Amino acid sequence: MNYLKTSTAAAGVIAYGLFANVAGAVPVVIDDFTDSQTVVQTGVGSTTDIETGAGGAIGGERDVELTVTGGTLDSRVRVNFAGSGRFSLSNADGVTSTVLLQWDGVDGSSALDATTGLGGIDLTDSGSNLGIGIMVLSNDLLLTSEIRIYSSATDFTTHVFEKGIVDSSGSITPGDPTDDAPFLHFAPFLTFAADIGAGAGTVGGSGADFTSVTAIELFISGPASIDLALDFVTSTDVPEPATLALLGMGLAGLGFARRRRTAK
């Protein structure tokens, strides 16, 4: 028996199964990071890359803009490097950066299309999914990010968060650099713009209609020397605390199996 292949498959089934079957919800995958992409910026400035034909990304395209805001060395974004199935951001010593991940349909452009874009996708799966989940596999410094959901060019809602965990009561609490990963950050649709440690989000126009989404953006602020890895971004139901713990174990096992396979 191929133990590595079996353990990888089992971990993947555990992670996806637990995430998909809470209260019968079916996740709407925003990005599973299985489509390869590499972006490098050296010194202050910006680099943009467009990954078309991205089957694991909602709308079939992922746009990445990497901006170095300080320092003279490299900032590097890698997606699915060596078949890892993850997003990673690495800043060299003294380098600070920001990353914009954008999903707005296949248009071959990094310019935001929030008018037609994703064509009005229902992230709630007819009300079964209650928020956005981001699985953080590893993070060695304080993470500040923002998710922005559009229903038109003028109607949007943002959710701002620092590295946080779901505690034993199921509530979201601000994190710190000593929090253990992997962990799931969950942003409920009902309180999407609420203050989650890093300050309240914003609402543009009438706010986002999560049943009719035209574009999604994820902003990441990378402090000097950060090493960050994300496993997926998806809409989902609220995991129970025990389920969340098993989910973390499953994803941790999946990541370990991937690393062993890559090493061989």
Side-chain angles (χ1 to χ4, degrees):
M1 176 181 291
N2 187 328
Y3 173 77
L4 176 59
K5 183 176 181 180
T6 302
S7 62
T8 301
V13 168
I14 290 171
Y16 184 81
L18 289 173
F19 215 53
N21 291 313
V22 177
V26 178
V28 178
V29 175
I30 297 170
D31 208 325
D32 62 11
F33 300 123
T34 56
D35 300 283
S36 300
Q37 193 171 14
T38 298
V39 186
V40 180
Q41 173 64 35
T42 303
V44 174
S46 296
T47 299
T48 301
D49 187 77
I50 300 167
E51 178 63 26
T52 57
I58 194 169
E61 179 177 303
R62 179 198 311 116
D63 306 329
V64 178
E65 182 180 64
L66 173 61
T67 301
V68 170
T69 55
T72 60
L73 301 176
D74 289 351
S75 178
R76 187 179 301 265
V77 166
R78 294 191 290 194
V79 181
N80 197 38
F81 178 71
S84 63
R86 64 179 60 179
F87 164 93
S88 66
L89 168 64
S90 297
N91 285 346
D93 290 346
V95 172
T96 57
S97 68
T98 61
V99 181
L100 167 62
L101 299 176
Q102 181 177 279
W103 300 272
D104 62 349
V106 178
D107 58 7
S109 170
S110 61
L112 177 66
D113 177 8
T115 303
T116 55
L118 296 175
I121 288 176
D122 181 5
L123 292 182
T124 74
D125 186 37
S126 300
S128 297
N129 295 320
L130 302 180
I132 301 293
I134 300 178
M135 179 55 68
V136 180
L137 291 178
S138 61
N139 179 47
D140 61 350
L141 292 170
L142 188 64
L143 168 67
T144 303
S145 298
E146 177 182 314
I147 314 168
R148 180 172 292 183
I149 310 293
Y150 294 86
S151 291
S152 74
T154 56
D155 298 314
F156 61 86
T157 305
T158 68
H159 172 83
V160 181
F161 67 95
E162 290 180 343
K163 182 177 183 291
I165 60 173
V166 179
D167 64 22
S168 59
S169 67
S171 62
I172 304 293
T173 57
D176 61 54
T178 63
D179 286 342
D180 292 332
F183 69 90
L184 174 71
H185 180 83
F186 182 76
F189 292 138
L190 286 177
T191 56
F192 204 71
D195 184 349
I196 308 293
T202 58
V203 175
S206 300
D209 176 356
F210 297 105
T211 68
S212 182
V213 172
T214 56
I216 303 168
E217 293 181 318
L218 173 62
F219 300 87
I220 299 171
S221 177
S225 308
I226 191 172
D227 287 301
L228 166 71
L230 307 180
D231 191 279
F232 58 73
V233 182
T234 184
S235 68
T236 184
D237 199 352
V238 183
E240 295 294 332
T243 302
L244 182 64
L246 288 173
L247 175 64
M249 291 170 60
L251 286 167
L254 180 58
F256 175 72
R258 283 172 174 163
R259 289 192 293 273
R260 284 191 59 189
R261 180 178 57 192
T262 300
K264 291 184 177 182

